[in-house]
């Protein structure tokens, strides 16, 4: 259901000539399955940051096309700008957004790097998650010396490129390709116009922390007196401990506070252990978090401006909640927050679920409701509009013309017309989806009520799983009416020569197997829906007994309908081993589902009749 989505953020060493930049972005937009999100040229930096997303194959192809055009239109021999750079395409990271792993993005970086080296003759270094050795992980390390030092660097065996010739390419330079986590640009809004208010929060939040102080540090830490390392006196900065040596305070920080002091000091441009005379630093609350305070004229507000470099480590909602606490301690109010650019759906779902959990609700709510909870809880419309459809990347998309977008009345009328689709397969999928929806409903109605403590864990599981199954089956409503398309297309293939005939037969068989696979998934998912509905018959609120029971029976219709559609297509498949295996699977699933339907129906009948008798 979710097409894997990858983001690519190449930086090109051209920020002034719009025509050249357009040639590069045209090459990206010419590739199918790719959407150009943003083009940000900088005249001072003489550099353009381009952001686009798409399918893994589309993004890989578009990146290659862009690098090839950049090598044609940019001449590094005449380039100078305010930003460090090494090549015409300076850096090109791939970023997993949804339905794809970091390792798969590393594989894209490797394939692209190999191709750029081979076809374009550009030396390529792999960085971050794609780095081939630790000293190449950090972009700044790879780029040290920039374009001007590149010829010398390429001659050094330690800096042999990962791909491409170890020879200086004067016009294109070298390109750094890699994979890294999604960067969320996130701002927290204050009810203040004082930049210092925002800075005090930023320093408390960010990984690299701040200069440690003593004395008057509450509520504004910045009002305290700066601490220094002195001979024989090495204050911790996070607590009152003072070590006799740098080693003593470093091991104290590791043992007592769990952070690496050396790493912290280096990130603040110190060179431990030689720190005598220098400021003491203390880390902030969050890893993978960069932050500064600023005043934004457009909003007339102070904001904590944050870059979250790995939202799996530090998600926006955690930073916002900490900001709310820190602000309250200082007599400030966080009025909301702002996502700059786009945000992956996973980060929004995580935030929505966090706030739903706080409200004592299950996480088994419709996706749209979870996203709405995230938007309102994070206060994302405080200073600017937030349209989920354009701001959230990787949303499951149901096309406007889909059957499931119709009203119930329209859909039912469409089924009744004299066209073969939508037919029994689509109706079976919808039946399964409704069964799952009823299971979720009863679980959500029952969860967290007086006396349900023993059932709550199971109800929460059912609600969340039922949402997943429901969404899968909703997609199957349309997929089923398209499942036969491959077979229909094959029927129309030419059959003039023996080769054409055998190719047509092969394609028809392939189409039939696809037409078997869709209803089989419908049957399996509907059986999962039956089990969820059966669970709420036992664990749910007694007044919802009939809802759970209806859920079991209608989902059973989904199982049976799916299986009948499997069998009807299976009869024309030639491959005997495949047919025997699928047939056996159908028989087994039908037996299980039938037993469950009968058992559930008998149990509900008995309980409902007993209720009448007890009246
Ligand atoms: Zn300490």
């Amino acid at each position: 259901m979710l097409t894997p989505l990858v983001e690519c953020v190449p930086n090109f060493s051209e920020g002034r000539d719009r025509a050249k930049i357009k040639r590069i972005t045209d090459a990206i937009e010419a590739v199918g399955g790719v959407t150009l999100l943003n083009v940000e040229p900088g005249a001072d930096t003489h550099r353009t940051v381009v952001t686009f997303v798409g399918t893994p194959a589309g993004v890989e192809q578009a990146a290659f096309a862009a690098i090839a055009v950049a090598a044609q239109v940019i001449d590094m021999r005449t380039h100078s700008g305010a930003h460090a750079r090494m090549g015409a395409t300076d850096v090109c990271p791939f970023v997993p957004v949804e339905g794809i792993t970091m390792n798969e993005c590393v594989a894209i970086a490797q394939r692209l790097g190999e191709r750029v080296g081979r076809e374009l003759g550009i030396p390529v270094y792999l960085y971050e998650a794609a780095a081939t050795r630790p000293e190449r992980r950090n972009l700044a390390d790879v780029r040290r010396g920039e374009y001007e030092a590149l010829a010398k660097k390429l001659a050094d065996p330690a800096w042999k490129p990962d791909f491409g010739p170890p020879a200086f390419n004067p016009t294109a330079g070298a390109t750094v390709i890699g994979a890294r986590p999604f960067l969320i640009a996130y701002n927290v809004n204050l009810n203040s116009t004082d930049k210092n208010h925002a800075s005090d929060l930023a320093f408390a939040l960010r990984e690299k922390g701040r200069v440690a102080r003593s004395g008057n540090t509450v509520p504004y830490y910045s009002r305290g007196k700066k601490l220094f390392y002195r001979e024989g006196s090495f204050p911790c900065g996070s607590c009152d401990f003072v070590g006799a040596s740098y080693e003593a305070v470093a091991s104290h920080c590791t043992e007592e506070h769990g952070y690496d002091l050396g790493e912290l000091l280096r990130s603040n441009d110190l060179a431990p252990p030689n720190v005598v005379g220098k400021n003491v630093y203390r880390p902030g609350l969050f890893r993978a978090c960069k932050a500064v305070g600023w005043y934004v004229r457009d909003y007339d507000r102070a904001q904590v401006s944050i870059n979250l470099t790995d939202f799996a480590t530090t998600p926006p909602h955690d930073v916002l909640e900490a900001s709310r606490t820190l602000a309250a301690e200082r007599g400030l109010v966080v009025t909301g927050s702002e996502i700059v650019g786009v945000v992956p759906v996973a980060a929004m779902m995580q935030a929505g679920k966090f706030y739903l959990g706080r409200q004592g609700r299950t996480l088994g709510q419709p996706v749209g409701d979870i996203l709405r909870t995230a938007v309102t809880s994070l206060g994302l419309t405080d200073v600017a509009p937030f349209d989920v459809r354009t701001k959230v990347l990787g949303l499951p998309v149901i096309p406007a013309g889909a059957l499931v977008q119709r009203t119930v009345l329209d859909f039912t009328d469409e089924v009744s017309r004299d066209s073969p689709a939508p037919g029994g397969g689509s109706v079976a999928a919808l039946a399964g989806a409704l069964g799952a929806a009823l299971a979720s409903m009863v679980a959500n109605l029952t969860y967290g009520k007086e006396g349900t403590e023993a059932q709550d864990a199971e109800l929460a599981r059912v609600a969340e799983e039922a949402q997943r199954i429901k969404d899968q089956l909703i997609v199957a409503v349309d997929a089923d009416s398209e499942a036969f398309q491959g077979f229909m297309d094959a029927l129309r293939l030419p059959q003039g020569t023996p080769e054409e005939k055998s190719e047509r037969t092969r394609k028809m068989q392939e189409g039939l197997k696809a037409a078997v696979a869709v209803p089989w998934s419908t049957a399996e998912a509907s059986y999962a829906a039956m089990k969820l509905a059966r669970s709420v018959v036992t664990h749910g609120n007694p007044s919802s007994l009939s809802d759970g029971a209806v859920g079991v029976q209608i989902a059973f219709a989904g199982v049976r309908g799916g299986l009948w559609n499997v069998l009807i297509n299976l009869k024309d498949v030639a491959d005997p081993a495949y047919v025997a295996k699928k047939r056996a699977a159908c028989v087994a699933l039908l037996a299980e589902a039938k037993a469950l339907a009968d058992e559930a129906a008998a149990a509900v009948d008995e309980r409902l009749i007993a209720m009448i008798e007890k009246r």
Side-chain angles (χ1 to χ4, degrees), residues 215-238:
N216 182 26
T217 56
V218 178
Y220 285 93
Y221 193 81
S222 50
R223 291 174 190 166
K225 202 164 145 277
K226 286 182 179 177
L227 287 174
F228 290 89
Y229 294 114
R230 300 186 196 287
E231 214 58 72
S233 166
F234 292 82
C236 161
S238 292

Side-chain angles (χ1 to χ4, degrees), residues 5-10 25 28-29 33-40 49-54 59 95 97 182-183 340-344 389-394:
L5 192 71
V6 183
E7 184 191 54
C8 183
V9 194
T25 55
I28 292 167
E29 287 192 288
V34 167
T35 308
L36 188 64
L37 290 181
N38 193 32
V39 181
E40 217 170 296
V49 181
V50 175
T51 308
F52 61 96
V53 292
V59 165
V95 180
V97 177
F182 194 96
L183 187 152
V340 182
V342 288
V343 58
R389 287 164 305 177
T390 54
K391 297 286 278 184
V392 181
L393 282 183

Side-chain angles (χ1 to χ4, degrees), residues 70-72 74-78 86-89 147 168-174:
Q72 286 168 17
I74 297 170
D75 185 346
M76 288 305 290
R77 288 174 300 186
T78 56
M86 191 156 83
T89 301
Y147 170 80
F168 184 49
N169 181 328
T171 54

Side-chain angles (χ1 to χ4, degrees), residues 85-105:
R85 82 285 179 264
M86 191 156 83
T89 301
D90 190 51
V91 56
C92 181
F94 293 94
V95 180
V97 177
E98 187 61 35
I100 184 161
T101 64
M102 183 62 79
N103 281 342
E104 290 168 294
C105 286

Side-chain angles (χ1 to χ4, degrees), residues 235-242 249 252-253 256-257 259:
C236 161
S238 292
C239 71
D240 292 335
F241 175 87
V242 180
V249 71
H252 161 86
C253 288
E256 291 298 316
H257 307 296
Y259 65 86

Side-chain angles (χ1 to χ4, degrees), residues 46 93 105 274 305 340 405 426 446 472 476 512 522 580 589:
H46 202 354
C105 286
N274 305 316
S305 171
V340 182
Q405 296 281 19
S426 291
T446 312
Q472 185 189 333
L512 279 173
T522 295
L589 181 55

